[in-house]
Amino acid sequence: MMSDYPHQVSVPTRWKDNDVYGHVNNAVHYSLMDTAINEWMISKAGFAPLDAPSIALCVESHCQYKAEVSFPDTIRLGLRIGKLGNSSVRWEIGMYRASDDALIAEGHFVHVFVDRETRRPVPIAEPMRTEMSKLAVA
């Protein structure tokens, strides 16, 4: 259910998102998940992707498709954190069709925070960690 996700954002599909089968291509789902995560990190946690001392690298991703969606549908994305580690975080995303609340897809990304230069894991910095804890599921 959308209410299971503390952060939510709506995104209209675009004409170019449809593939030859008449629905939104699977690569678009991944792009939307990545965008929702990074939009949250920038707008809610103050992440500065161009000059932060640490960056988040995706080490795992998954998407399970539940229903079709196509242009001109609007997709509602819900974001939560399933696991918050020392240097890693598992983001969980639910995607719903706005017109009827149908579950379109569920996915996750695992990010490891690393030093920008050395690419070695580093602890998730404050205030990012504090903000992330607000999205963590019990």
Side-chain angles (χ1 to χ4, degrees), residues 61-108:
S61 64
H62 174 80
C63 188
Q64 185 174 18
Y65 304 96
K66 306 287 188 171
E68 288 185 323
V69 62
S70 59
F71 177 83
D73 288 324
T74 295
I75 300 173
R76 293 183 339 161
L77 291 97
L79 181 64
R80 66 183 179 205
I81 291 177
K83 183 178 180 193
L84 181 57
N86 182 50
S87 62
S88 66
V89 58
R90 177 187 162 108
W91 303 95
E92 297 176 349
I93 303 98
M95 290 177 253
Y96 295 81
R97 188 173 27 249
S99 62
D100 62 6
D101 289 329
L103 178 62
I104 298 164
E106 293 176 303
H108 71 261

Side-chain angles (χ1 to χ4, degrees), residues 103-125:
L103 178 62
I104 298 164
E106 293 176 303
H108 71 261
F109 270 49
V110 175
H111 277 157
V112 173
F113 283 79
V114 300
D115 179 89
R116 179 181 294 278
E117 300 301 321
T118 68
R119 297 299 206 250
R120 300 298 308 152
V122 296
I124 298 169

